[in-house]
Amino acid sequence: MYKTQTIKEKIVERYSSLVDNSDQFTNAVKKPLKQTFRINSIKGDKDKILNDMRNYDASIKKIPWCDNAFETDLTNLGSSIQHFSGQIYIQELTSMVPPLIVSNIIKQKTVLDCCAAPGSKTTQMAEIMNNEGHIIANDARHGRIKSLRGNLDRLGITNTTVTLRDFNSFPNTSADVYLVDAPCSSEGTIRKKNAVARKWRQHDYDRFSKLQKNLLKKACEMAPKGSTIIYSTCTLAPEENENVISQILDEEDIDLKKININGLKLDNGVTNWKEEDYNKEVKKCARMWPHHNDTDAFFLARMEKC
Amino acid sequence: MLKLIEKEKKDDIIKYCLERFGLRQKNLERYHWYEGSKNRIFIGPEKVKRINPESLGLCIFRLDKTPKPTTNFIQLFGEKINKNYIILNKTETVKICKGENLKKKIDVEAGFVALKYKSISLGCAHWNGEIIKNQIPKSKFCNINFL
Ligand SMILES: C[S@@+](CC[C@H](N)C(=O)[O-])C[C@H]1O[C@@H](n2cnc3c(N)ncnc32)[C@H](O)[C@@H]1O
């Protein structure tokens, strides 16, 4: 177990060869993140909710690349009436990206959220879907299912079925979109106070990588032709990102698609790491570096089943 | 565990929603209705074969001797509720969100009521003519700093 400061230094050092600007990266990692949230229009009109909030918080700013995301100088919006009534959800900006990239294909559709708890992305997708269609939100841990259930209740989500299962043994289920928001070493959350410090261990990369590959493989195997599979992690480690996608590309019948979001800077996936070459296609994956958009770090891949 | 609700029970709830809260049937039509353990009523998506759900949709009622709306229900349909609701002031809202009851003179029929702060639906309470008895689940209690 390391102190947060030591981990920050280790992470900066580990990725200095991958990053475009080491100084900016180092500075961004040291800077704490602002609290960000999104509005849950299932519980009211977006403008009305914002106006109500602006009565006590003049610092609210809109995030340019996400219609529904906002940042604030307040640190405890969890004690606001909007949070109590489910009109807002406090969420990291990076975590909002996976639902955003499928927002135009999930309305009235079926989504299988393979590792869903505590439900940030499930509830965001439900809002995008206007509480229609169907989300199956699965997680393997009972304790985390409880927080998922709490969030679904608070946000008034009616289009979701919750299942408690190791996804590796999930029954074959046909869906239009599969989201594998995989457990990971969480390095990307380094700007959050103590978020990584509790968990970070060097040797975890291999363990996570195996786990992630199995989960993604399972989703790819059950996905019908033409369906979309999203893989995401909140780590910078290529072992858990491009490495996993590269193996899946070699073994499964899938195409990798490029990801674009207006106004959001996304870096390409890396094709080589620690003397290992990956399938060249993994360039199409997207990396989010903390200094590019003033966020956490994040990784995304968008696949289509052939 | 979850089974489709019997038609009479569903009709009773729909009738209660209209009579008690003025909530029209059309707001409740698009859902599949289920009955779970402890007489809990859920609205949600269609059940998928071969999947054994932990839960499905949202718990909106408990059917004891009479229908009892949940805070989930009041919060979700609050905007459409036009009868038997109580608008609270700031101090009362803070107390209710903390889990307290309120003593207040109001002109509402005895029974379950919807609590609102301005147009924000807070949850369910029971009015017995003297006390507004908080029905918000403990797990939701919160010290509100911003309103
Ligand atoms: C990164 S978190 C998911 C966060 C979530 N998608 C959200 O946006 O709120 C990863 C989740 O994977 C779950 N998990 C780990 N192993 C799993 C498995 N074998 N099957 C299903 N879920 C698993 C963990 O319990 C954890 O909740």
Side-chain angles (χ1 to χ4, degrees):
Chain A
M1 201 95 45
Y2 298 92
K3 287 211 168 84
T4 312
Q5 203 44 46
T6 331
I7 296 176
K8 285 190 177 175
E9 282 157 18
K10 281 185 181 286
I11 286 177
V12 164
E13 188 188 310
R14 190 169 202 262
Y15 300 114
S16 60
S17 67
L18 295 183
V19 74
D20 57 352
N21 187 323
S22 270
D23 288 344
Q24 284 179 10
F25 176 47
T26 310
N27 289 338
V29 163
K30 283 186 192 151
K31 228 173 78 185
L33 267 186
K34 280 204 175 169
Q35 187 156 85
T36 50
F37 66 93
R38 64 181 166 79
I39 289 184
N40 176 33
S41 61
I42 290 171
K43 288 283 183 83
D45 175 71
K46 188 172 133 187
D47 294 332
K48 167 98 182 49
I49 295 171
L50 259 185
N51 281 341
D52 285 351
M53 293 180 78
R54 287 201 163 109
N55 285 332
Y56 59 76
D57 182 4
S59 73
I60 294 175
K61 280 202 203 84
K62 190 185 169 322
I63 301 297
W65 50 267
C66 181
D67 239 7
N68 204 16
F70 302 86
E71 67 170 28
T72 168
D73 291 345
L74 295 180
T75 52
N76 49 352
L77 270 184
S79 63
S80 67
I81 198 72
Q82 283 73 25
H83 188 269
F84 178 87
S85 60
Q87 293 185 324
I88 62 165
Y89 189 97
I90 298 169
Q91 187 173 353
E92 302 305 340
L93 292 176
T94 46
S95 157
M96 298 185 200
V97 178
L100 207 58
I101 61 175
V102 291
S103 58
N104 58 344
I105 57 166
I106 54 177
K107 291 190 181 120
Q108 302 288 346
K109 295 284 183 346
T110 301
V111 178
L112 177 45
D113 192 350
C114 312
C115 307
S120 308
K121 298 171 193 76
T122 311
T123 52
Q124 187 184 351
M125 289 190 289
E127 197 247 358
I128 292 168
M129 295 160 84
N130 296 323
N131 236 350
E132 291 170 6
H134 189 189
I135 304 178
I136 300 162
N138 175 66
D139 204 277
R141 282 172 55 191
H142 189 263
R144 289 181 65 96
I145 288 278
K146 270 190 161 176
S147 12
L148 170 64
R149 193 57 267 163
N151 283 325
L152 294 170
D153 283 350
R154 187 170 63 82
L155 271 74
I157 307 299
T158 53
N159 73 343
T160 297
T161 300
V162 175
T163 56
L164 170 63
R165 265 194 108 124
D166 177 345
F167 187 66
N168 291 304
S169 64
F170 203 87
N172 277 349
T173 303
S174 179
D176 302 285
V177 174
Y178 296 78
L179 172 60
V180 182
D181 186 37
C184 69
S185 55
S186 308
E187 286 173 353
T189 61
I190 186 85
R191 294 176 67 182
K192 241 169 139 183
K193 217 171 150 197
N194 293 331
V196 196
R198 278 179 274 120
K199 298 194 231 157
W200 198 74
R201 285 178 191 82
Q202 289 268 17
H203 61 260
D204 273 353
Y205 296 125
D206 280 349
R207 182 173 69 82
F208 276 122
S209 168
K210 284 188 192 113
L211 190 76
Q212 291 151 345
K213 188 193 155 192
N214 287 339
L215 292 169
L216 181 56
K217 197 171 168 62
K218 176 79 182 175
C220 290
E221 280 170 359
M222 69 168 78
K225 195 169 178 269
S227 60
T228 297
I229 304 137
I230 305 292
Y231 175 79
S232 56
T233 70
C234 55
T235 180
L236 288 164
E239 293 91 333
E240 303 178 55
N241 294 331
E242 289 88 346
N243 168 47
V244 172
I245 302 299
S246 181
Q247 292 182 55
I248 292 288
L249 278 172
D250 293 344
E251 293 172 22
E252 297 292 322
D253 222 0
I254 54 152
D255 269 348
L256 205 53
K257 303 281 176 197
K258 187 94 181 121
I259 298 169
N260 278 314
I261 294 174
N262 262 346
L264 182 68
K265 182 166 175 181
L266 297 172
D267 203 2
N268 289 339
V270 299
T271 52
N272 174 283
W273 172 249
K274 296 211 183 276
E275 280 150 40
E276 202 176 325
D277 288 324
Y278 302 136
N279 186 318
K280 291 279 171 279
E281 278 285 290
V282 301
K283 256 199 198 138
K284 290 181 183 163
C285 299
R287 289 189 151 249
M288 288 181 73
W289 295 95
H291 56 297
H292 285 170
N293 308 284
D294 193 13
T295 60
D296 277 336
F298 207 68
F299 175 88
L300 286 148
R302 177 182 186 146
M303 291 151 273
E304 193 179 300
K305 181 75 179 270
C306 309
Chain B
M1 202 180 61
L2 278 174
K3 55 174 196 199
L4 279 174
I5 193 172
E6 289 162 23
K7 189 176 175 309
E8 299 85 77
K9 286 187 182 170
K10 179 176 166 181
D11 289 347
D12 280 354
I13 294 176
I14 287 177
K15 192 168 156 233
Y16 174 88
C17 288
L18 183 64
E19 283 174 1
R20 180 78 199 162
F21 295 117
L23 181 71
R24 291 179 181 280
Q25 180 169 358
K26 67 169 192 216
N27 294 299
L28 299 163
E29 258 162 11
R30 73 176 165 101
Y31 305 101
H32 294 261
W33 288 59
Y34 304 94
E35 199 178 340
S37 58
K38 297 181 191 156
N39 299 324
R40 285 181 303 175
I41 308 300
F42 296 79
I43 49 170
E46 194 173 355
K47 213 169 168 181
V48 179
K49 279 186 207 122
R50 287 190 298 131
I51 288 183
N52 187 15
E54 277 292 294
S55 70
L56 219 168
L58 199 72
C59 177
I60 56 158
F61 266 87
R62 262 183 84 156
L63 268 188
D64 293 332
K65 278 172 220 140
T66 56
K68 180 188 169 203
T70 63
T71 282
N72 294 338
F73 169 83
I74 300 287
Q75 285 193 354
L76 185 60
F77 295 105
E79 265 187 343
K80 312 236 162 56
I81 288 177
N82 54 34
K83 267 168 84 177
N84 292 311
Y85 63 86
I86 305 171
I87 307 263
L88 305 179
N89 63 27
K90 263 192 189 183
T91 317
E92 292 163 345
T93 300
V94 169
K95 282 186 176 169
I96 278 292
C97 294
K98 239 192 248 176
E100 293 177 20
N101 300 327
L102 297 175
K103 223 171 172 177
K104 182 178 162 103
K105 277 256 162 307
I106 46 168
D107 184 22
V108 168
E109 290 166 51
F112 290 108
V113 290
L115 301 177
K116 297 188 187 199
Y117 170 68
K118 295 182 178 166
S119 60
I120 303 172
S121 300
L122 303 173
C124 181
H126 188 269
W127 166 243
N128 63 7
E130 265 176 48
I131 288 177
I132 300 171
K133 195 153 183 332
N134 205 323
Q135 302 289 314
I136 295 171
K138 263 199 195 112
S139 59
K140 288 188 196 267
F141 292 170
C142 176
N143 283 320
I144 301 291
N145 292 317
F146 303 112
L147 75 169

